[in-house]
Amino acid sequence: MGGAVIARSPTQEALQRLRRDRMAVAGAMLLFCAALVSVLAPVLAPQDPTQTNLAQRLAPIGTPGYPLGSDELGRDILSRLIWGGRVSLLVGFGAVIVAMGFGVIVGLMAGYFGGWLDSVIMRLIDVLMAFPAILLAIAIVASLGPGLRNAMLAISIVGIPYYARIIRGSVLSLRELEFIQAARIIGAPDLRILTRHVLPNCLSPLIVAATLDVGWMIMAAAGLSFLGLGAQPPTAEWGVMLSAGRQFIRIAPHLSVLPGAAILLVVLALNFLGDGLRDALDPRLRQ
Amino acid sequence: MLSLIPVLIGVTLLVFLVMQLAPGDPAQIMLGPKATETAVAQLRHELGLDQPLLVQYGRWLIHIVQGNWGRSIQLKREILPFLLGRFGNSAYLMLFATLLACSVGVPAGILSAVKQYSVGDRVAMVLVLIGFSTPIFWLGIILQILFGLVFGILPVSGLQSPGRADLGDLIVHLILPSLTLTTGATAIIARMTRSSMLEVIRQDYIRTARSKGLSERSVISRHALKNALIPVVTVVGMQVGYLLGGDVLVEIVFSYPGIGLAMVNGILARDFPLVQGAILLVASSYVLVNLVVDIVYAYLDPRIHYE
């Protein structure tokens, strides 16, 4: 008589594998803290992030009342970093959701229906992918005009082909499998097959790609702001802070070092988590 | 090879449309806010802006192919020769960065794979993650602070010192920007080389090579490496796209007179013909690089054939 066999769902198994990955856990915790700080920004930030104080310009780190110093207009850097995180996380996750939403719809249609629809969609995707990603985002913002919302829209558009391709690839391999064929034979409508049978089976590559992509989106949005094409001053946003701080790099390097370090930490956390998720969801890939 | 043509046409169409969607009338922008309505209408007619969109695109494309890329509104000079000069400067930077990325990334990846799970491998893989999580513009600023301000040993901006035009001076100016540009690409190449190498050294023919008594060095360098490097070629090609994008940010940080700086200045000055040209030039060169990568790939790997 063998011991009791505990049946676990694949999701539970994946979560358990994820919990054993120390880097992924560290990433998830860091990300959770960053999200918490962003949500609680109105409570946590010691000052209004746009409140200027010309008597306290360029205060160094550790100045009373300004734990991380102040910028060229005497604004509290800690408060600006906290509020900036809110913007960056919102833009990063928001852009991924938009890009993934459109990419999934387009990829599902191309992969499932095939034929001329697939050809047209794939040619369009080829064209979008013929541009270096950030360059395409710059071109779109140049056309729509600078601003945070347009920057977010631009990086979302740039992200669509990435998801469409992942989904299309998964659908192509799923389409011929017996359970999909069976659903078709019993007369299930296409929409039901796509949403109930195809999509759930594409979720793992999607989750991994999205996690890694949030990091890219955050960096791209900060990059656009850095170029003057994204968020505009006086908004507290990490890219804007970095760009403004550059003028004072000789006398107050912390103005540009701190926001960049914040971006690095959040993106690193996302990459740790994304790598861990990939290993956990697809153990065959583990090396 | 022929499939390149629809992609290139798509690229030109997209560049054209994106700039068409830009708010504001180009004729009005060229003439300035004080121009009379008749003058604007006259210029619109001369520029063909009153024609249907498709006709405008056709004309524009013919001009592009003929090498007539128009004049920059802001710089008041021909766009194509100006952009080609700037593109040349960016090409130095990119070439330098690519060489650095390959010469560091490939050996690092091989060593990591051969000594899998060693301390060195773990450290290298954490460094890789840090490498591609670092915002490139921030890294540039950090290097400027360190090497330009703290140690004061390297120039932090521009392409040449005033009054000098020698190769040594150029190379010194290229060090920090290419170091900045190369970091992310190096990380990705190292990671890809490692995983490709790991896959190859588990194959039967490697076991055969080992069991017939070849030294480990010979197994790795003569047998494993050749096959492991094939996917790396594709990744290196893909990194060119990453480098072309990152190049824009790096050029802004280092005030490097390349095509990225020209493009961003053009956008901020609403000089759309210039921006259009710059984007077109970068995107088409990316398409061509990808073609070269595909050809090299097919050459290296006899299993691959292109119709």
Side-chain angles (χ1 to χ4, degrees):
Chain A
M1 301 289 122
V5 177
I6 304 163
R8 279 194 313 233
S9 74
T11 314
Q12 283 170 324
E13 278 183 15
L15 274 176
Q16 194 174 32
R17 277 194 293 270
L18 190 65
R19 269 199 296 269
R20 264 184 257 135
D21 187 336
R22 268 179 294 173
M23 303 265 258
V25 171
M29 275 162 50
L30 196 59
L31 200 63
F32 178 73
C33 293
L36 199 66
V37 168
S38 300
V39 172
L40 297 178
V43 187
L44 288 178
Q47 293 188 27
D48 178 343
T50 51
Q51 175 67 50
T52 57
N53 176 4
L54 295 181
Q56 278 290 357
R57 298 171 61 211
L58 301 175
I61 294 177
T63 305
Y66 296 90
L68 293 180
S70 69
D71 69 4
E72 71 279 12
L73 296 173
R75 295 172 294 200
D76 178 39
I77 291 181
L78 177 63
S79 306
R80 288 179 72 72
L81 281 178
I82 292 175
W83 280 91
R86 201 174 156 107
V87 176
S88 283
L89 287 177
L90 219 65
V91 169
F93 281 97
V96 165
I97 289 170
V98 174
M100 190 161 62
F102 280 97
V104 164
I105 295 173
V106 169
L108 279 178
M109 291 198 322
Y112 187 74
F113 294 110
W116 65 268
L117 187 67
D118 184 34
S119 300
V120 170
I121 290 175
M122 288 322 285
R123 289 300 82 73
L124 283 175
I125 284 177
D126 281 348
V127 170
L128 284 179
M129 294 191 94
F131 290 85
I134 190 86
L135 183 79
L136 186 58
I138 290 173
I140 296 171
V141 178
S143 162
L144 298 175
L148 187 61
R149 209 180 51 188
N150 289 345
M152 185 172 148
L153 189 65
I155 55 175
S156 308
I157 296 175
V158 171
I160 293 175
Y162 176 60
Y163 293 99
R165 277 198 157 184
I166 293 173
I167 289 289
R168 178 179 175 269
S170 310
V171 174
L172 282 181
S173 56
L174 284 169
R175 199 171 60 174
E176 306 308 324
L177 294 182
E178 284 87 353
F179 74 102
I180 302 286
Q181 301 282 5
R184 223 181 258 161
I185 290 165
I186 61 169
D190 287 331
L191 189 67
R192 188 182 162 84
I193 297 180
L194 282 174
T195 51
R196 294 291 299 271
H197 301 291
V198 176
L199 194 57
N201 283 294
C202 305
L203 279 183
S204 344
L206 206 59
I207 291 171
V208 174
T211 311
L212 295 170
D213 202 28
V214 174
W216 186 85
M217 294 282 192
I218 288 177
M219 275 211 272
L224 288 175
S225 299
F226 177 77
L227 294 176
L229 303 175
Q232 301 291 317
T235 311
E237 195 267 356
W238 292 342
V240 171
M241 291 171 70
L242 239 166
S243 169
R246 274 181 71 208
Q247 294 164 12
F248 307 95
I249 169 178
R250 281 168 194 278
I251 40 174
H254 62 287
L255 257 56
S256 25
V257 173
L258 291 174
I263 302 175
L264 171 63
L265 273 182
V266 170
V267 177
L268 196 60
L270 282 158
N271 281 335
F272 278 153
L273 182 62
D275 271 8
L277 276 171
R278 189 187 42 213
D279 292 343
L281 289 170
D282 193 351
R284 282 166 301 169
L285 282 178
R286 186 166 192 124
Q287 280 173 342
Chain B
M1 195 70 188
L2 281 176
S3 65
L4 204 65
I5 293 167
V7 172
L8 274 176
I9 291 178
V11 166
T12 56
L13 189 62
L14 192 63
V15 170
F16 176 77
L17 285 179
V18 158
M19 288 300 135
Q20 282 294 317
L21 289 173
D25 180 355
Q28 182 81 55
I29 296 172
M30 281 185 200
L31 291 173
K34 287 180 187 155
T36 63
E37 241 171 72
T38 356
V40 173
Q42 172 77 23
L43 186 62
R44 280 182 63 83
H45 182 67
E46 278 169 25
L47 294 171
L49 295 173
D50 48 359
Q51 302 276 334
L53 214 55
L54 204 62
V55 177
Q56 287 190 42
Y57 168 66
R59 273 194 184 175
W60 176 77
L61 192 60
I62 291 170
H63 284 158
I64 292 291
V65 174
Q66 288 172 337
N68 176 13
W69 289 35
R71 289 174 71 81
S72 151
I73 300 170
Q74 177 201 11
L75 305 166
K76 312 251 184 280
R77 52 190 287 195
E78 284 293 318
I79 289 174
L80 187 58
F82 169 72
L83 284 183
L84 285 177
R86 286 302 189 89
F87 191 68
N89 291 346
S90 302
Y92 288 138
L93 189 56
M94 233 120 33
L95 200 69
F96 231 69
T98 312
L99 286 177
L100 269 174
C102 294
S103 51
V104 177
V106 172
I110 294 171
L111 281 178
S112 249
V114 173
K115 309 248 180 241
Q116 196 188 2
Y117 299 135
S118 66
V119 178
D121 174 35
R122 284 173 197 278
V123 171
M125 286 307 112
V126 172
L127 282 179
V128 158
L129 272 178
I130 295 176
F132 62 70
S133 305
T134 306
I136 195 165
F137 40 100
W138 180 68
L139 181 65
I141 293 171
I142 298 286
L143 292 180
Q144 280 180 328
I145 292 175
L146 277 180
F147 292 94
L149 302 179
V150 178
F151 303 128
I153 45 175
L154 287 169
V156 293
S157 70
L159 180 62
Q160 256 152 6
S161 312
R164 286 189 65 178
D166 53 306
L167 188 65
D169 187 55
L170 174 71
I171 291 177
V172 168
H173 276 84
L174 279 171
I175 295 176
L176 287 186
S178 41
L179 214 57
T180 310
L181 189 54
T182 201
T183 311
T186 309
I188 295 173
I189 290 174
R191 186 164 155 141
M192 188 65 202
T193 308
R194 176 180 183 268
S195 68
S196 168
M197 194 73 184
L198 282 175
E199 206 160 286
V200 168
I201 54 182
R202 286 185 188 140
Q203 284 180 15
D204 291 341
Y205 79 95
I206 295 297
R207 192 175 305 129
T208 311
R210 279 192 183 133
S211 53
K212 73 178 183 186
L214 289 183
S215 69
E216 187 62 22
R217 192 188 189 86
S218 162
V219 171
I220 296 296
S221 62
R222 303 247 337 237
H223 296 263
L225 198 54
K226 277 183 195 162
N227 281 329
L229 285 186
I230 294 174
V232 176
V233 172
T234 317
V235 176
V236 172
M238 273 156 47
Q239 291 319 301
V240 173
Y242 172 88
L243 292 177
L244 281 166
D247 172 66
V248 179
L249 290 159
V250 170
E251 287 183 9
I252 301 295
V253 173
F254 291 95
S255 310
Y256 185 90
I259 195 156
L261 189 63
M263 190 192 311
V264 174
N265 285 341
I267 293 173
L268 297 176
R270 305 183 62 75
D271 187 348
F272 288 120
L274 182 80
V275 177
Q276 208 168 29
I279 293 173
L280 186 62
L281 195 59
V282 177
S284 7
S285 58
Y286 183 45
V287 173
L288 290 178
V289 167
N290 277 327
L291 175 73
V292 172
V293 170
D294 280 353
I295 294 172
V296 172
Y297 200 56
Y299 173 76
L300 288 178
D301 189 343
R303 287 169 300 185
I304 295 169
H305 287 287
Y306 294 106
E307 297 288 314

